[in-house]
Amino acid sequence: MMRILFSLFFLISIVTWSQSEYEPSEAHPFGQPNPKAPKEILDFAPLIGKCNCISQTRNQDRTWGEPNKMTWEFKYIMNGMAIQDQTLKADGRHSGSIRQFNADSSQWYVHYYSSVSANPVLSSWKGNKKDGKIILYRKQKAPNGMDGFSKLSFYDINDNGFKWLGEWVDTNESISFPTWKIECVRQENTEQLFDEELIRAEAKAFSDAYLRQDYEAIAKIYTDNAKIFPTNAPIIKGYDAIKKRWAESSGYTPIEHEIIPEEIIILGDTAHDYGIYKGKNKNDDGTEITYQGKYVVIWKKVDDQWKMYLDIWNRIEK
């Protein structure tokens, strides 16, 4: 009798273990793919784990909102037969999805849920991986009633992270309107990612202050011991001199200005970037002139804020 009970207990233990063999565990905190799952379960393999991300959504005026920190975690569930992910955002809005591949239709089905509301029916997208991208669609009309799709794309997928784009497209994808973008990296590289976004935000703040003709705000974007190198002018040093240089601009009103970084390299508390700037001014006589140029900036991190230390620029003659 004891032998029968032991055999029964051993058999139950094996069955129970086999039912959860590929679930998240201490040895495999994000689970494992089940060998019996469709081979497409490995489409999301590079995303399994936890990334720290920068999320930006589109404002009503079509500008991009401020970057928002979040984590995005992917793991195998249902004993390795499906994938679950969840995002935890700094603004308190959290969301997640259950991702299952249907072998009969050869498509991924993704069911989305959010902490914003508990919906009786979950939104769902479907799609596939192709040419290194995972692309999902859901039918959705545009505000003007035009037929189209909500399109979600995972791209630039590699060992360091991935990028994600949410957009509305018409039925033949000749029209595209991005509404949400996310860039993710493995946690050890997160600080560098967010610093790059902060530098881009400071460059935008410079353009905004210039268009407002707020010269004090411009000067505050520089370090106290900054130097600027204007075209055909001597080196200008320090807060007061830099503020005076920008304030002396006269004879026109700036109506457009944009700084476009082409490369940002961060080395600890110092960074450098280069790129293109362009804009449009309205002269006092009513005429308008457009211009563009190239620049190099050395940044320094001061009290957790990136500021310009060296700023050199010159016009590109058309």
Side-chain angles (χ1 to χ4, degrees), residues 200 203-204 207 257-264 273-279 291-295:
R200 291 181 184 276
K204 183 178 184 302
S207 291
H257 191 268
E258 183 179 10
I259 298 172
I260 307 169
E262 292 191 12
E263 180 180 75
I264 299 175
D273 89 277
Y274 74 86
I276 299 295
Y277 66 90
K278 60 183 180 179
Y291 61 87
Q292 69 175 30
K294 53 189 182 292
Y295 75 90

Side-chain angles (χ1 to χ4, degrees), residues 38 53 83 87 93 118 124 139 165 168 176 187 193 208 226 271-272:
C53 310
I83 291 169
T87 65
R93 293 171 177 260
S124 62
K139 287 185 178 180
L165 181 67
W168 182 89
S176 169
Q187 288 190 338
L193 171 67
D208 292 344
H272 64 264

Side-chain angles (χ1 to χ4, degrees), residues 13 106 171 176 237 284 286 303 317:
S13 297
S106 297
T171 52
S176 169
K237 305 177 183 180
D284 290 347
D303 296 330
E317 298 297 332

Side-chain angles (χ1 to χ4, degrees), residues 277-297:
Y277 66 90
K278 60 183 180 179
K280 180 187 292 187
N281 293 335
K282 185 175 184 179
N283 297 324
D284 290 347
D285 62 7
T287 60
E288 294 183 357
I289 181 171
T290 59
Y291 61 87
Q292 69 175 30
K294 53 189 182 292
Y295 75 90
V296 175
V297 171

Side-chain angles (χ1 to χ4, degrees), residues 39 72 91 93 121 145 149 160 180 266 292:
K39 68 181 188 308
W72 200 341
D91 64 4
R93 293 171 177 260
V121 178
F149 298 93
N160 294 321
W180 192 355
I266 298 168
Q292 69 175 30

Side-chain angles (χ1 to χ4, degrees), residues 102-136:
N102 186 302
D104 293 335
S105 64
S106 297
Q107 287 188 312
W108 279 99
Y109 289 85
V110 178
H111 303 280
Y112 172 84
Y113 51 90
S114 169
S115 64
V116 176
S117 62
N119 295 319
V121 178
L122 298 182
S123 301
S124 62
W125 282 257
K126 59 183 180 180
N128 299 93
K129 183 177 183 180
K130 185 178 180 181
D131 299 328
K133 299 180 180 179
I134 302 173
I135 301 178
L136 307 164

